[in-house]
Coordinates of all heavy atoms in Angstrom, one line a residue:
M583 N 90.4 128.1 83.8 CA 89.8 126.9 83.4 C 88.9 126.4 84.7 O 89.4 126.3 85.8 CB 90.8 125.9 83.1 CG 90.4 124.5 82.8 SD 91.7 123.5 82.1 CE 92.4 122.9 83.7
K584 N 87.7 125.9 84.4 CA 86.8 125.4 85.5 C 87.3 124.0 85.9 O 87.8 123.2 85.0 CB 85.4 125.6 85.1 CG 85.0 124.5 84.1 CD 83.5 124.8 83.8 CE 83.0 123.8 82.7 NZ 81.6 123.9 82.5
N585 N 87.0 123.7 87.1 CA 87.4 122.4 87.5 C 86.1 121.5 87.5 O 85.2 121.7 88.4 CB 88.0 122.5 88.9 CG 88.5 121.1 89.5 OD1 87.8 120.2 89.7 ND2 89.7 121.0 89.7
R586 N 86.1 120.5 86.7 CA 84.8 119.6 86.6 C 84.7 118.8 87.7 O 83.5 118.6 88.1 CB 85.2 118.7 85.3 CG 83.9 117.8 85.0 CD 82.9 118.6 84.3 NE 81.8 117.7 83.9 CZ 80.5 117.8 84.1 NH1 80.2 118.8 84.8 NH2 79.7 116.9 83.7
L587 N 85.7 118.3 88.5 CA 85.6 117.5 89.7 C 84.8 118.3 90.8 O 83.9 117.9 91.4 CB 86.9 117.0 90.1 CG 86.9 116.1 91.4 CD1 85.9 114.9 91.1 CD2 88.2 115.7 91.8
K588 N 85.2 119.6 90.9 CA 84.6 120.4 91.9 C 83.1 120.8 91.5 O 82.3 120.6 92.4 CB 85.5 121.8 92.0 CG 84.8 122.6 93.0 CD 85.8 123.9 93.2 CE 85.4 124.8 94.3 NZ 86.2 126.0 94.6
E589 N 83.0 121.0 90.2 CA 81.6 121.3 89.7 C 80.7 120.1 90.0 O 79.5 120.3 90.5 CB 81.7 121.5 88.2 CG 80.4 121.9 87.6 CD 80.5 122.0 86.0 OE1 81.6 122.5 85.5 OE2 79.5 121.6 85.3
L590 N 81.1 119.0 89.7 CA 80.3 117.7 89.9 C 80.0 117.5 91.5 O 79.0 117.1 91.8 CB 81.0 116.4 89.3 CG 81.1 116.4 87.9 CD1 82.0 115.3 87.4 CD2 79.6 116.0 87.3
R591 N 81.1 117.7 92.2 CA 80.9 117.6 93.7 C 79.8 118.6 94.2 O 78.9 118.2 94.9 CB 82.3 117.9 94.4 CG 82.1 117.8 95.9 CD 83.4 118.1 96.6 NE 84.0 119.4 96.4 CZ 83.6 120.5 96.9 NH1 82.7 120.5 97.8 NH2 84.3 121.6 96.6
I592 N 79.9 119.9 93.8 CA 79.0 120.8 94.2 C 77.5 120.6 93.7 O 76.7 120.8 94.5 CB 79.6 122.2 93.8 CG1 80.8 122.7 94.7 CG2 78.4 123.3 94.1 CD1 81.5 123.9 94.2
N593 N 77.5 120.2 92.5 CA 76.2 119.8 92.0 C 75.5 118.7 92.7 O 74.2 118.7 92.7 CB 76.3 119.5 90.5 CG 76.5 120.7 89.5 OD1 76.3 121.9 90.0 ND2 77.0 120.5 88.3
R594 N 76.3 117.9 93.3 CA 75.7 116.8 94.0 C 75.4 117.2 95.5 O 74.9 116.4 96.2 CB 76.7 115.5 94.0 CG 76.0 114.3 93.7 CD 76.7 113.1 93.8 NE 76.6 112.4 92.5 CZ 76.9 111.1 92.5 NH1 77.5 110.6 93.3 NH2 76.8 110.5 91.3
G595 N 75.8 118.4 95.8 CA 75.6 118.9 97.1 C 76.5 118.3 98.2 O 76.0 118.2 99.4
L596 N 77.7 117.9 97.9 CA 78.7 117.3 98.7 C 79.8 118.2 99.1 O 80.3 119.0 98.3 CB 79.3 116.0 98.0 CG 78.4 114.9 97.7 CD1 79.1 113.9 96.7 CD2 77.8 114.2 98.9
S597 N 80.1 118.1 100.4 CA 81.3 118.9 100.9 C 82.6 117.9 100.3 O 82.3 116.8 99.9 CB 81.4 119.0 102.3 OG 81.5 117.6 102.9
Q598 N 83.7 118.4 100.4 CA 84.9 117.7 100.1 C 85.0 116.4 101.0 O 85.2 115.3 100.5 CB 86.2 118.5 100.3 CG 86.4 119.4 99.1 CD 87.7 120.2 99.3 OE1 88.0 120.5 100.3 NE2 88.3 120.5 98.0
K599 N 84.7 116.5 102.3 CA 84.8 115.4 103.2 C 83.7 114.4 102.8 O 84.0 113.1 102.8 CB 84.5 115.9 104.6 CG 84.7 114.8 105.7 CD 84.5 115.3 107.0 CE 84.8 114.2 108.0 NZ 84.7 114.7 109.3
N600 N 82.5 114.8 102.5 CA 81.4 113.9 102.1 C 81.8 113.2 100.8 O 81.6 111.8 100.7 CB 80.1 114.5 101.9 CG 79.5 115.1 103.2 OD1 79.1 116.2 103.3 ND2 79.4 114.3 104.3
L601 N 82.4 113.9 99.7 CA 82.8 113.1 98.6 C 83.9 112.2 98.8 O 83.7 111.0 98.4 CB 83.4 114.2 97.6 CG 84.0 113.6 96.4 CD1 83.0 112.9 95.5 CD2 84.6 114.7 95.5
I602 N 84.9 112.5 99.7 CA 85.9 111.5 100.0 C 85.3 110.2 100.6 O 85.6 109.1 100.2 CB 87.0 112.2 100.9 CG1 87.7 113.3 100.2 CG2 87.8 111.1 101.5 CD1 88.3 114.2 101.1
N603 N 84.5 110.4 101.6 CA 83.8 109.3 102.3 C 82.9 108.4 101.3 O 83.1 107.3 101.3 CB 83.0 109.7 103.4 CG 83.7 110.3 104.6 OD1 84.8 110.0 104.8 ND2 83.2 111.1 105.4
E604 N 82.1 109.1 100.6 CA 81.2 108.4 99.6 C 82.0 107.7 98.5 O 81.8 106.6 98.1 CB 80.3 109.3 99.0 CG 79.1 109.7 100.0 CD 77.9 110.4 99.3 OE1 77.9 110.4 98.0 OE2 77.2 110.9 100.0
F605 N 83.0 108.4 97.9 CA 83.9 107.8 96.9 C 84.6 106.7 97.3 O 84.8 105.6 96.6 CB 84.7 108.9 96.3 CG 85.6 108.4 95.1 CD1 85.0 108.0 93.9 CD2 87.0 108.3 95.2 CE1 85.6 107.5 92.9 CE2 87.7 107.7 94.2 CZ 87.0 107.3 93.0
N606 N 85.3 106.7 98.5 CA 86.0 105.6 99.1 C 85.1 104.4 99.3 O 85.4 103.3 99.0 CB 86.8 106.0 100.4 CG 88.0 106.9 100.1 OD1 88.5 106.8 99.0 ND2 88.4 107.6 101.0
L607 N 83.9 104.7 99.8 CA 83.0 103.6 99.9 C 82.7 103.0 98.6 O 82.5 101.8 98.5 CB 81.6 104.1 100.6 CG 80.6 103.1 101.0 CD1 81.2 102.0 102.0 CD2 79.4 103.8 101.7
F608 N 82.3 103.8 97.6 CA 82.1 103.3 96.3 C 83.3 102.4 95.8 O 83.0 101.4 95.3 CB 82.0 104.6 95.3 CG 81.9 104.1 93.9 CD1 80.7 103.8 93.2 CD2 83.0 104.3 93.1 CE1 80.6 103.5 91.9 CE2 82.9 103.9 91.8 CZ 81.9 103.6 91.1
L609 N 84.5 102.9 96.0 CA 85.8 102.1 95.5 C 85.7 100.7 96.3 O 85.9 99.7 95.5 CB 87.0 102.8 95.8 CG 87.4 103.9 95.0 CD1 88.6 104.6 95.4 CD2 87.5 103.5 93.6
E610 N 85.3 100.7 97.6 CA 85.4 99.4 98.3 C 84.2 98.5 97.7 O 84.5 97.3 97.6 CB 85.0 99.7 99.8 CG 86.2 100.3 100.5 CD 85.8 100.6 102.0 OE1 84.9 99.9 102.5 OE2 86.4 101.5 102.6
K611 N 83.1 99.0 97.4 CA 82.0 98.2 96.9 C 82.2 97.7 95.5 O 81.6 96.7 95.2 CB 80.7 99.0 97.0 CG 80.1 99.1 98.4 CD 78.9 100.0 98.3 CE 78.3 100.1 99.8 NZ 77.0 100.9 99.7
N612 N 83.0 98.5 94.8 CA 83.3 98.1 93.3 C 84.7 97.7 93.0 O 85.1 97.8 92.0 CB 82.8 99.3 92.5 CG 81.5 99.6 92.4 OD1 80.5 98.9 92.0 ND2 81.2 100.7 93.4
L613 N 85.4 97.2 94.1 CA 86.8 97.1 94.0 C 87.1 95.9 92.9 O 88.1 96.1 92.1 CB 87.4 96.6 95.3 CG 88.9 96.4 95.4 CD1 89.6 97.7 95.0 CD2 89.3 95.9 96.8
N614 N 86.3 94.9 92.8 CA 86.5 93.9 91.6 C 86.5 94.5 90.3 O 87.1 93.9 89.5 CB 85.4 92.8 91.8 CG 84.0 93.3 91.6 OD1 83.7 94.4 91.8 ND2 83.1 92.4 91.2
K615 N 85.8 95.6 90.1 CA 85.8 96.3 88.8 C 87.1 96.9 88.4 O 87.5 97.1 87.2 CB 84.8 97.4 88.7 CG 84.6 98.0 87.5 CD 83.5 98.9 87.3 CE 83.4 99.6 86.0 NZ 82.3 100.5 85.8
Y616 N 87.9 97.2 89.5 CA 89.2 97.9 89.3 C 90.4 97.2 89.6 O 91.5 97.7 89.7 CB 89.2 99.3 90.1 CG 88.0 100.2 89.7 CD1 86.9 100.3 90.6 CD2 87.9 100.8 88.6 CE1 85.8 101.0 90.3 CE2 86.8 101.5 88.2 CZ 85.8 101.6 89.1 OH 84.7 102.5 88.8
V617 N 90.2 95.9 89.9 CA 91.3 95.0 90.2 C 92.5 95.0 89.2 O 92.1 94.9 88.1 CB 90.9 93.6 90.6 CG1 92.0 92.6 90.7 CG2 90.0 93.5 91.8
G618 N 93.7 95.2 89.6 CA 94.7 95.1 88.7 C 95.1 96.4 87.9 O 95.9 96.6 87.2
Q619 N 94.2 97.4 88.3 CA 94.4 98.7 87.7 C 95.4 99.6 88.6 O 95.0 99.8 89.7 CB 93.2 99.5 87.3 CG 92.4 98.8 86.3 CD 91.1 99.6 85.9 OE1 91.2 100.9 85.9 NE2 90.1 99.0 85.5
R620 N 96.4 100.1 88.0 CA 97.3 101.0 88.8 C 96.6 102.3 89.1 O 96.0 102.8 88.3 CB 98.6 101.2 88.0 CG 99.4 99.9 87.9 CD 100.8 100.1 87.2 NE 101.4 101.1 88.2 CZ 102.8 101.2 88.1 NH1 103.4 100.6 87.3 NH2 103.3 102.0 89.1
G621 N 97.0 102.9 90.3 CA 96.5 104.2 90.6 C 95.0 104.1 91.2 O 94.6 105.2 91.6
I622 N 94.5 103.0 91.6 CA 93.2 103.0 92.2 C 93.5 102.7 93.7 O 94.0 101.7 94.1 CB 92.3 101.8 91.7 CG1 92.0 102.2 90.3 CG2 91.1 101.7 92.6 CD1 90.9 103.3 90.0
R623 N 93.2 103.7 94.5 CA 93.3 103.6 96.0 C 92.6 104.6 96.6 O 91.9 105.5 96.1 CB 94.8 103.8 96.3 CG 95.4 105.1 96.0 CD 96.9 105.3 96.4 NE 97.7 104.4 95.8 CZ 98.4 104.4 94.8 NH1 98.3 105.6 94.1 NH2 99.1 103.5 94.4
Q624 N 92.4 104.3 98.0 CA 91.5 105.2 98.8 C 92.0 106.7 98.6 O 93.2 107.0 98.5 CB 91.6 104.9 100.2 CG 91.0 103.6 100.5 CD 89.5 103.5 100.5 OE1 88.9 104.3 101.2 NE2 88.9 102.7 99.7
V625 N 91.1 107.7 98.6 CA 91.4 109.1 98.4 C 91.3 109.8 99.8 O 90.6 109.6 100.7 CB 90.5 109.7 97.5 CG1 90.6 111.3 97.4 CG2 90.4 109.1 96.2
T626 N 92.4 110.6 100.0 CA 92.6 111.4 101.3 C 92.0 112.8 101.0 O 91.9 113.2 99.8 CB 94.1 111.5 101.8 OG1 94.8 112.3 100.8 CG2 94.6 110.1 102.0
S627 N 91.8 113.5 102.0 CA 91.4 114.9 101.9 C 92.4 115.8 101.1 O 92.1 116.6 100.3 CB 90.9 115.6 103.1 OG 92.0 115.6 104.1
A628 N 93.6 115.5 101.4 CA 94.8 116.3 100.7 C 94.8 116.0 99.3 O 95.0 117.0 98.5 CB 96.1 115.9 101.5
T629 N 94.6 114.8 98.9 CA 94.6 114.4 97.4 C 93.5 115.0 96.7 O 93.6 115.5 95.7 CB 94.5 112.9 97.3 OG1 95.7 112.3 97.9 CG2 94.5 112.4 95.9
E630 N 92.2 114.9 97.3 CA 91.1 115.5 96.6 C 91.2 117.1 96.5 O 91.0 117.6 95.5 CB 89.8 115.2 97.5 CG 88.5 115.3 96.6 CD 88.1 116.7 96.5 OE1 88.4 117.6 97.4 OE2 87.3 117.0 95.5
S631 N 91.8 117.6 97.5 CA 92.0 119.1 97.5 C 93.1 119.4 96.4 O 92.7 120.4 95.6 CB 92.6 119.7 98.8 OG 92.8 121.1 98.8
R632 N 94.1 118.7 96.2 CA 95.0 119.0 95.2 C 94.4 118.8 93.8 O 94.7 119.5 92.9 CB 96.2 118.1 95.4 CG 97.2 118.5 96.6 CD 98.5 117.7 96.6 NE 98.4 116.4 96.7 CZ 98.4 115.7 97.8 NH1 98.6 116.4 98.9 NH2 98.3 114.4 97.9
W633 N 93.5 117.8 93.6 CA 92.9 117.6 92.4 C 92.0 118.8 92.0 O 92.1 119.4 91.0 CB 92.0 116.4 92.4 CG 92.7 115.1 92.4 CD1 94.0 114.8 92.2 CD2 92.0 113.9 92.8 NE1 94.3 113.5 92.3 CE2 93.1 112.9 92.6 CE3 90.8 113.4 93.1 CZ2 92.8 111.5 92.9 CZ3 90.5 112.1 93.3 CH2 91.5 111.1 93.2
E634 N 91.2 119.4 93.0 CA 90.4 120.5 92.8 C 91.1 121.8 92.5 O 90.7 122.6 91.8 CB 89.5 120.6 94.0 CG 88.3 119.7 93.9 CD 87.0 120.1 94.8 OE1 87.0 121.2 95.4 OE2 86.2 119.2 95.1
N635 N 92.3 121.9 93.1 CA 93.1 123.0 93.0 C 94.1 123.0 91.8 O 94.8 123.9 91.6 CB 93.9 123.4 94.2 CG 92.9 123.9 95.4 OD1 92.1 124.9 95.2 ND2 92.9 123.2 96.5
G636 N 94.1 121.9 91.1 CA 94.9 121.8 89.9 C 96.4 121.4 90.2 O 97.3 121.6 89.2
L637 N 96.7 121.1 91.4 CA 98.1 120.8 91.7 C 98.5 119.4 91.2 O 99.7 119.2 91.2 CB 98.3 121.0 93.3 CG 97.9 122.5 93.8 CD1 98.1 122.5 95.3 CD2 98.8 123.4 93.2
N638 N 97.6 118.5 91.3 CA 97.7 117.1 90.8 C 96.6 116.7 90.1 O 95.5 117.3 90.1 CB 97.9 116.2 92.1 CG 99.2 116.3 92.8 OD1 100.2 116.9 92.2 ND2 99.4 115.7 93.9
K639 N 96.7 115.6 89.4 CA 95.7 115.0 88.5 C 95.5 113.5 88.9 O 96.6 112.9 89.1 CB 95.9 115.1 87.0 CG 96.0 116.6 86.4 CD 96.2 116.6 85.1 CE 96.3 118.0 84.6 NZ 96.7 118.1 83.1
P640 N 94.2 113.0 88.8 CA 94.0 111.6 89.0 C 94.7 110.8 88.0 O 94.9 111.4 86.8 CB 92.6 111.4 89.0 CG 92.0 112.9 89.3 CD 93.0 113.7 88.8
T641 N 95.1 109.5 88.2 CA 95.6 108.6 87.2 C 94.4 108.4 86.2 O 93.3 108.7 86.6 CB 96.0 107.3 87.7 OG1 94.9 106.7 88.4 CG2 97.2 107.5 88.9
S642 N 94.7 107.9 85.1 CA 93.6 107.5 84.2 C 92.6 106.5 84.7 O 91.5 106.6 84.5 CB 94.2 107.0 82.8 OG 95.1 105.9 83.0
A643 N 93.2 105.5 85.5 CA 92.3 104.6 86.2 C 91.4 105.3 87.2 O 90.2 105.0 87.3 CB 93.1 103.5 86.7
M644 N 91.9 106.2 87.8 CA 91.2 107.1 88.9 C 90.1 107.9 88.2 O 89.0 108.0 88.6 CB 92.1 107.8 89.8 CG 91.3 108.3 91.0 SD 90.6 107.0 92.1 CE 92.0 106.7 93.2
W645 N 90.5 108.5 87.1 CA 89.5 109.2 86.2 C 88.3 108.3 85.9 O 87.2 108.8 86.1 CB 90.1 109.7 85.0 CG 90.9 111.2 85.1 CD1 92.2 111.4 84.8 CD2 90.3 112.4 85.7 NE1 92.4 112.7 85.1 CE2 91.4 113.2 85.6 CE3 89.2 112.7 86.2 CZ2 91.2 114.6 85.9 CZ3 89.0 114.1 86.7 CH2 89.9 114.9 86.5
Q646 N 88.6 107.1 85.5 CA 87.4 106.2 85.2 C 86.6 106.0 86.4 O 85.4 105.9 86.4 CB 88.1 104.9 84.6 CG 87.0 103.9 84.1 CD 86.1 104.5 83.0 OE1 86.6 105.0 82.1 NE2 84.8 104.6 83.3
A647 N 87.3 105.6 87.5 CA 86.5 105.4 88.8 C 85.7 106.6 89.2 O 84.5 106.5 89.5 CB 87.4 105.0 89.9
L648 N 86.2 107.8 89.0 CA 85.4 109.0 89.4 C 84.3 109.2 88.4 O 83.1 109.6 88.8 CB 86.4 110.2 89.3 CG 87.3 110.4 90.5 CD1 88.5 111.4 90.1 CD2 86.5 110.8 91.7
S649 N 84.5 108.9 87.1 CA 83.5 109.2 86.1 C 82.3 108.2 86.4 O 81.2 108.4 86.3 CB 83.9 109.0 84.7 OG 84.3 107.7 84.4
D650 N 82.7 106.9 86.7 CA 81.7 105.8 87.1 C 81.0 106.3 88.3 O 79.7 106.1 88.4 CB 82.4 104.5 87.5 CG 83.0 103.9 86.2 OD1 82.7 104.3 85.1 OD2 83.9 102.8 86.4
Y651 N 81.6 106.8 89.3 CA 80.9 107.4 90.6 C 79.9 108.5 90.3 O 78.8 108.4 90.7 CB 82.0 107.8 91.5 CG 81.3 108.6 92.8 CD1 80.8 107.8 93.7 CD2 81.4 109.9 92.8 CE1 80.2 108.5 94.8 CE2 80.8 110.6 93.9 CZ 80.2 109.9 94.9 OH 79.6 110.6 95.9
F652 N 80.4 109.4 89.5 CA 79.5 110.4 89.1 C 78.4 110.2 88.0 O 77.6 110.9 87.8 CB 80.3 111.7 88.7 CG 80.9 112.5 90.0 CD1 82.3 112.4 90.1 CD2 80.1 113.2 90.8 CE1 82.7 113.0 91.3 CE2 80.7 113.8 92.0 CZ 82.0 113.8 92.2
G653 N 78.7 109.0 87.4 CA 77.8 108.7 86.2 C 78.0 109.6 85.0 O 77.0 110.0 84.4
V654 N 79.2 109.9 84.8 CA 79.5 110.8 83.5 C 80.6 110.2 82.7 O 81.2 109.3 83.2 CB 79.9 112.3 84.0 CG1 78.8 112.9 84.8 CG2 81.2 112.3 84.9
N655 N 80.8 110.7 81.5 CA 81.9 110.2 80.7 C 83.2 110.8 81.3 O 83.2 111.9 81.8 CB 81.7 110.7 79.2 CG 80.6 110.1 78.5 OD1 80.3 108.9 78.9 ND2 79.9 110.7 77.7
V656 N 84.3 110.1 81.0 CA 85.6 110.6 81.5 C 85.9 111.9 80.7 O 86.5 112.8 81.3 CB 86.7 109.6 81.2 CG1 88.0 110.1 81.4 CG2 86.5 108.3 81.9
S657 N 85.6 112.1 79.5 CA 86.1 113.3 78.8 C 85.2 114.4 79.4 O 85.6 115.5 79.4 CB 85.6 113.2 77.3 OG 84.4 112.8 77.0

């Protein structure tokens, strides 16, 4: 099974570190959109790596934030 998060990151020409930095900045700038939603927090390199390797999955709220960041549907 292909990893959509990794595919989106690579298509944007981002390293994992760049994605983490840009996504965390995106969360800071859009925090009011996600206020009160559980599971929205800054992403570490370990977390992003586990997502890409299928060891963990983002929460549904974090999936929404990721889809907003990449400009794609959650599905």
